[in-house]
Amino acid sequence: MPRNAAMTESEFVFLKEKIGEVAQQKFDLLPSYIDKLYTEKSCPGGWLDSYTVTGFPDVPAFNGALTTIGKSPGFHVRIEPSQYAVEAVWQRTLIDDDQHDVIVDGGSELMEAAQRTREKLSASPFVNGESNSFDFVTVNEEGVGIFSNSHTTKTGVSTTTGFDNLGADALSKVSLAETIIAMGLFKDDNGERYSPPSDYMVIVPMTLQFTLEEILKTDVGYNIAEGVGLKNVMYNRYTPFVWERLDDYSTSDWYVVSKSWVKKYMVHLNKVAPEIKTTIDWGTYQTRTAVYFRTGFGSKGWRFGFKHVT
């Protein structure tokens, strides 16, 4: 029977609820790497401020009176989430022709696009980490990238050693070992040893997946020249992490991070999670479905990891 009237209010409410329900189900099933690398933080205001301080110096010998020690200020970082939104417009004819699934599926596809966008944004602090220009960091008092050989302090200690976390070596068993050693020699702003926990994770693009698996998953005989049957000391020693999103930027850059410290330093400001809204423009009979979210990614410090740009 032909439709003789515009969509009724009850029909619209049903369609609206269906779009929202299906879109949320879709979002909940979408894969995400964000929670593997970031800690979600709230920001009651429009941004998140982070102020670092040094650790305490060594405890002096006790001579009958306590010595007062203190901490020195570090650098200020401000991370601000940005807004993202888009809409899809459906013509009245889809309703007339009972093509409700097209509209409902469209809401799911918008949610998928939103999540894909967030995943790309989450890669930005890593792939652009050697730059001091960030998508969401509006204040970076230190003035250098997350991964840099020019890290400084406010205490005036020598930064000749223990303050570099940027290299240029291709991924290999040797370069991985050298990187782990370098991270173990990191220092804090007082110049004291401040190495991350040894729960290291090696992050690579898909292009380097098999190179990494060869290094970490070969039990014996990794290098015949070193001796037949010689055990590979890196076998299952560190966690491999293949991040497909990295291939969109570089197929050769790679990273080593502490699994616990990367989430200590890397922050995801999930100010507004992706949300679907649907309305009808009664002047044109168009159904409009929009997705909106507000998000931001950044780092409060650099001592969680090391990057190689090759």
Side-chain angles (χ1 to χ4, degrees):
M1 177 178 294
R3 177 181 289 272
N4 296 318
M7 178 183 286
T8 65
E9 187 68 24
S10 61
E11 288 176 319
F12 169 66
V13 170
F14 176 79
L15 178 62
K16 177 181 177 180
E17 292 177 349
K18 187 67 174 178
I19 292 172
E21 176 185 344
V22 174
Q24 188 61 51
Q25 290 175 351
K26 176 72 172 182
F27 179 76
D28 292 340
L29 293 174
L30 292 173
S32 174
Y33 289 137
I34 293 174
D35 61 354
K36 299 180 184 298
L37 299 169
Y38 291 87
T39 293
E40 186 175 308
K41 292 281 188 179
S42 61
C43 52
W47 56 79
L48 175 70
D49 283 318
S50 173
Y51 299 87
T52 60
V53 293
T54 64
F56 285 116
D58 291 344
V59 178
F62 182 63
N63 59 5
L66 289 174
T67 300
T68 301
I69 59 176
K71 294 187 174 186
S72 300
F75 294 110
H76 171 210
V77 173
R78 173 173 290 178
I79 306 170
E80 295 189 31
S82 296
Q83 299 180 89
Y84 297 85
V86 72
E87 72 169 354
V89 180
W90 316 104
Q91 301 301 322
R92 161 68 187 270
T93 51
L94 289 175
I95 301 297
D96 296 339
D97 298 338
D98 291 325
Q99 298 298 311
H100 299 84
D101 288 347
V102 175
I103 301 176
V104 172
D105 290 343
S108 297
E109 291 164 3
L110 282 176
M111 193 66 90
E112 185 173 5
Q115 179 63 359
R116 182 177 64 247
T117 303
R118 296 204 316 165
E119 290 293 318
K120 288 182 177 181
L121 294 172
S122 73
S124 178
F126 287 88
V127 299
N128 299 317
E130 65 273 24
S131 168
N132 63 357
S133 177
F134 304 101
D135 290 333
F136 305 101
V137 177
T138 56
V139 177
N140 176 26
E141 189 180 7
E142 186 187 18
V144 300
I146 299 171
F147 305 104
S148 172
N149 294 328
S150 302
H151 288 297
T152 58
T153 75
K154 290 185 176 182
T155 61
V157 302
S158 172
T159 58
T160 302
T161 61
F163 288 85
D164 296 345
N165 68 335
L166 179 64
D169 296 323
L171 178 61
S172 69
K173 182 179 176 181
V174 172
S175 62
L176 177 56
E178 291 174 343
T179 301
I180 298 296
I181 293 172
M183 294 178 68
L185 298 175
F186 282 168
K187 296 178 180 178
D188 70 3
D189 287 356
N190 282 336
E192 300 292 342
R193 185 72 62 81
Y194 194 72
S195 54
S198 57
D199 56 343
Y200 294 116
M201 180 165 63
V202 187
I203 306 175
V204 299
M206 284 188 66
T207 308
L208 293 179
Q209 175 180 357
F210 299 108
T211 300
L212 180 61
E213 288 184 356
E214 185 179 26
I215 295 171
L216 298 182
K217 297 300 180 181
T218 301
D219 187 2
V220 294
Y222 172 78
N223 188 344
I224 300 300
E226 295 178 354
V228 177
L230 185 66
K231 182 174 178 60
N232 175 19
V233 296
M234 287 194 176
Y235 175 66
N236 282 344
R237 192 180 187 93
Y238 309 117
T239 302
F241 182 9
V242 180
W243 195 1
E244 296 88 343
R245 192 61 61 190
L246 298 181
D247 289 86
D248 297 339
Y249 305 90
S250 171
T251 58
S252 57
D253 294 354
W254 56 285
Y255 312 76
V256 179
V257 302
S258 161
K259 286 193 292 184
S260 52
W261 274 21
V262 69
K263 299 193 71 171
K264 171 183 175 181
Y265 284 96
M266 300 302 287
V267 175
H268 172 210
L269 298 183
N270 190 22
K271 183 69 174 180
V272 179
E275 58 183 25
I276 287 286
K277 301 294 184 183
T278 301
T279 188
I280 287 185
D281 182 348
W282 295 108
T284 61
Y285 290 127
Q286 291 176 334
T287 301
R288 296 175 177 270
T289 301
V291 64
Y292 171 91
F293 61 95
R294 192 175 173 196
T295 193
F297 299 89
S299 176
K300 299 187 293 183
W302 60 269
R303 291 176 176 87
F304 66 89
F306 200 109
K307 178 178 181 179
H308 284 277
V309 179
T310 63

